[in-house]
């Protein structure tokens, strides 16, 4: 046990022997390949729509906004369906759905149809991530935090690889080169679906057809996340606990360009810092958050780390190029540290605060927090925080830190209430008939 807690030989050794065995190993490879395709798509899609399709800035914004809204619906839809159908089958369907939408997108020029297809790909993307999370809770069991760390490390490595490969196509810059990049992303979906086919359906609560004695397709009576105010409060507070993503991906680069003297060539370093630190440190951070109680502590640390990140961003415009560069690099490191803590705390609490009998639908609702943040976070930063200058960053940091304390306290109360509830008594075994006296 001590060896396992110290990392069981490190990242590579854990990837060879992940919690969940063979199926977990296949799924980790699937996620890495899927994210490699996503990295190719992320690096090339905006340029493809701009220079090949010919969309203007307004159309591109509408396209991205519609995709963001569709992504919000993907998580609860996947959770709802996972309470009724096999996770493995649904995940294969998500990969094939994205494959088909992306292939059709290559030959479409009508803006309305483009928007529909792009929204479908994001719907499938968010649904797939929720199903991967549910798969992990079932195959990894109590070691799900370790699995999550391995998942994030392999996914980040795959994403970086895909973004690096996209540079080759972008350097060519022709219509054919862009189409090859998009087909590479589509190919990753096809390979991912084939790999998921090789796994076995994980056992666990939250799958109606896996419960003996239950009528197939029947919903779990009385357990709906939409009527659980305590869980909805957790999901609502989890939205600002995901703001590190927008801070690092949108806030730091735009703040550098518009408000500091730091050189623009520094921007790629933020992605490099984030990728390297996540791959190198995620497993170690997860080893320190092994249960829900420790996850509530990580929520508080998330708020303090985000506050420190915002402090550096607020001071960046005051110095010259060197001072601004140092402040922005420190902010990128702190945003990544917040991401490391958020990834394990949100994951662990989303699982631990949900009743086992309806975990699939609950995790689907929990997945909405990240989707909502991806849609609203950039608007918050560009429309309010950066418009207010350094004071906006200070207000954001203080707000996230305060909400993290509220989230921590709320989660602790729910955990205490759940642990105090008596476990359901097992149904009595049928008694043997008693023979009448002779």
């Amino acid at each position: 046990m001590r060896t396992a807690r110290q990392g069981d030989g490190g990242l590579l050794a854990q990837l060879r022997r992940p919690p969940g065995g063979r199926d977990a190993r296949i799924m980790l490879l699937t996620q890495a390949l899927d994210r490699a395709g996503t990295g190719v798509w992320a690096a090339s899609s905006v340029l493809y729509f701009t220079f090949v399709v010919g969309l203007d800035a307004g159309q591109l914004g509408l396209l991205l906004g519609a995709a963001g809204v569709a992504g919000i619906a993907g998580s609860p839809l996947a959770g709802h369906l996972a309470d009724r159908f096999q996770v493995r089958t649904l995940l294969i369907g998500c990969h094939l759905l994205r494959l088909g939408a992306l292939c059709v997108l290559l030959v479409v020029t009508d803006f309305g149809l483009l928007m529909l297809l792009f929204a479908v790909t994001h719907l499938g993307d968010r649904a797939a991530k929720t199903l991967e999370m549910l798969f992990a809770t079932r195959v990894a069991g109590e070691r799900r935090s370790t699995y999550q760390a391995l998942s994030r490390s392999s996914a980040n490595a795959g994403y970086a690889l895909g973004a690096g490969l996209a540079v080759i196509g972008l350097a060519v810059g022709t219509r054919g080169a862009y189409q090859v990049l998009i087909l590479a992303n589509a190919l990753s979906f096809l390979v991912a679906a084939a790999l998921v086919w090789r796994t076995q359906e994980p056992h666990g609560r939250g799958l109606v057809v896996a419960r003996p004695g239950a009528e197939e397709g029947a919903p779990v009576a009385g357990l709906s996340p939409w009527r659980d105010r305590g869980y909805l409060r957790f999901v609502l507070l989890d939205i600002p606990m995901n703001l590190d993503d927008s801070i690092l991906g949108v806030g730091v680069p735009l703040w550098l360009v518009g408000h500091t003297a730091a050189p623009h060539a520094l921007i790629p370093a933020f992605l490099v810092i984030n990728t390297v630190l996540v791959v190198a440190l995620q497993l170690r951070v997860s080893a320190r958050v092994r249960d829900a109680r420790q996850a509530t502590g990580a929520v508080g640390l998330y708020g303090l780390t985000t506050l420190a990140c915002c402090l550096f961003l607020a001071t960046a415009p005051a110095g010259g190029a060197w001072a601004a560069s140092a402040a922005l690099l420190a902010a990128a490191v702190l945003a990544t540290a917040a991401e490391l803590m958020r990834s394990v705390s949100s994951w662990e609490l989303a699982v631990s605060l949900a009743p086992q009998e309806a975990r699939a639908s609950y995790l689907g609702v929990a997945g909405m927090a990240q989707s909502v943040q991806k849609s609203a976070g950039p608007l918050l930063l560009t429309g309010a925080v950066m418009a207010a200058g350094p004071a906006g960053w200070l207000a954001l940091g203080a707000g996230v830190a305060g909400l993290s304390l509220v989230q921590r306290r709320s989660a602790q109360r729910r955990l205490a209430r759940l642990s105090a509830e008596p476990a359901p008594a097992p149904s009595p075994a049928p008694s043997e008939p008693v023979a009448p006296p002779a």
Side-chain angles (χ1 to χ4, degrees):
M1 286 294 293
R2 182 176 181 180
T3 302
R5 289 177 182 175
Q6 291 176 344
D8 197 21
L11 177 60
L12 294 178
Q14 288 274 41
L15 286 172
R16 287 193 296 267
R17 297 184 300 274
R22 170 187 173 274
D23 287 341
R25 190 161 53 247
I26 293 175
M27 188 60 70
L28 289 172
L29 176 60
T30 302
Q31 290 178 249
L33 293 174
D34 184 0
R35 301 309 186 271
T38 302
V40 172
W41 173 252
S44 59
S45 59
V46 172
L47 296 178
Y48 172 80
F49 288 125
T50 302
F51 296 114
V52 177
V53 180
L55 300 184
D56 57 33
Q59 289 175 316
L60 188 58
L62 185 59
L63 189 76
L64 296 173
V69 173
I72 294 173
S75 294
L77 178 61
H80 177 76
L81 292 175
D83 263 335
R84 290 154 176 80
F85 304 101
Q86 290 187 339
V87 172
R88 173 175 166 271
T89 304
L90 291 172
L91 188 52
I92 292 173
C94 286
H95 291 317
L96 295 180
L97 176 68
R98 292 189 289 169
L99 170 65
L102 208 58
C103 289
V104 175
L105 186 145
L106 279 172
V107 297
V108 168
T109 56
D110 179 74
F111 176 70
L113 191 52
L114 275 175
M115 188 163 59
L116 174 62
L117 292 170
F118 198 53
V120 168
T121 60
H122 276 254
L123 177 76
D125 179 70
R126 292 308 310 168
K129 285 181 171 60
T130 298
L131 294 169
E132 289 167 352
M133 181 180 179
L134 184 57
F135 185 97
T137 63
R138 294 179 179 175
V139 300
E142 296 301 318
R143 296 189 63 198
R144 54 181 174 263
S145 62
T146 300
Y147 181 98
Q148 169 72 346
L150 296 173
S151 171
R152 287 187 55 77
S153 297
S154 59
N156 273 269
Y159 187 90
L161 174 63
L165 292 175
V167 172
I168 301 173
L170 297 179
V172 176
T174 63
R175 180 187 183 94
Y178 282 112
Q179 290 176 333
V180 168
L181 291 176
I182 295 177
L183 285 173
N185 186 26
L187 179 62
S188 74
F189 298 149
L190 181 61
V191 176
L195 287 173
V196 174
W197 181 264
R198 295 183 58 200
T199 64
Q200 296 180 353
E201 176 66 17
H203 299 288
R205 297 294 187 90
L207 182 64
V208 170
V209 296
R211 290 205 316 273
E215 182 182 353
E216 184 171 330
V220 181
L223 290 175
S224 169
W226 301 108
R227 293 194 294 267
D228 191 332
R229 289 185 294 178
Y231 199 82
L232 290 177
R233 185 185 305 114
F234 159 74
V235 176
L236 181 63
L237 290 172
D238 202 41
I239 296 174
M241 301 301 109
N242 281 269
L243 274 172
D244 59 275
D245 178 66
S246 292
I247 290 174
L248 186 62
V250 178
V252 176
L254 290 182
W255 189 247
L256 180 152
V257 171
H259 297 82
T260 76
H264 295 185
L266 191 65
I267 291 178
F270 303 142
L271 176 60
V272 173
I273 288 173
N274 178 261
T275 301
V276 171
L277 290 181
V278 169
V279 172
L281 299 179
Q282 186 69 76
L283 193 60
R284 294 186 180 183
V285 173
S286 297
R288 297 179 178 273
V289 182
R290 306 188 67 86
D291 56 37
R293 296 292 178 184
Q294 293 172 332
T296 60
V299 172
L301 289 176
Y302 176 90
L304 295 177
T305 307
T306 304
L307 174 59
C309 170
C310 291
L311 287 173
F312 275 103
L313 290 171
T315 59
W322 285 102
S325 298
L328 290 169
L329 288 172
V333 171
L334 287 167
T336 302
E339 176 187 345
L340 291 170
M341 286 179 280
R342 178 258 300 171
S343 65
V344 291
S345 62
S346 293
W347 159 270
E348 181 62 35
L349 290 176
V351 175
S352 300
L353 298 180
Q356 290 186 350
E357 295 81 2
R359 183 169 282 172
S361 57
Y362 271 70
L363 290 181
V365 173
M368 292 178 61
Q370 190 174 10
S371 301
V372 171
Q373 187 283 139
K374 283 183 176 294
S375 297
L379 296 176
L380 172 66
L381 294 181
T382 56
V385 174
M386 286 187 281
W393 285 112
L394 296 176
L396 177 68
V400 172
L403 290 174
S404 71
L405 297 178
V406 176
Q407 176 76 302
R408 178 186 178 185
R409 183 59 179 161
S410 176
Q412 288 174 338
R413 288 177 177 174
R414 184 174 174 93
L415 287 171
R417 185 168 61 253
L418 290 175
S419 62
E421 292 178 357
S427 57
S431 57
E432 295 292 335
V434 178

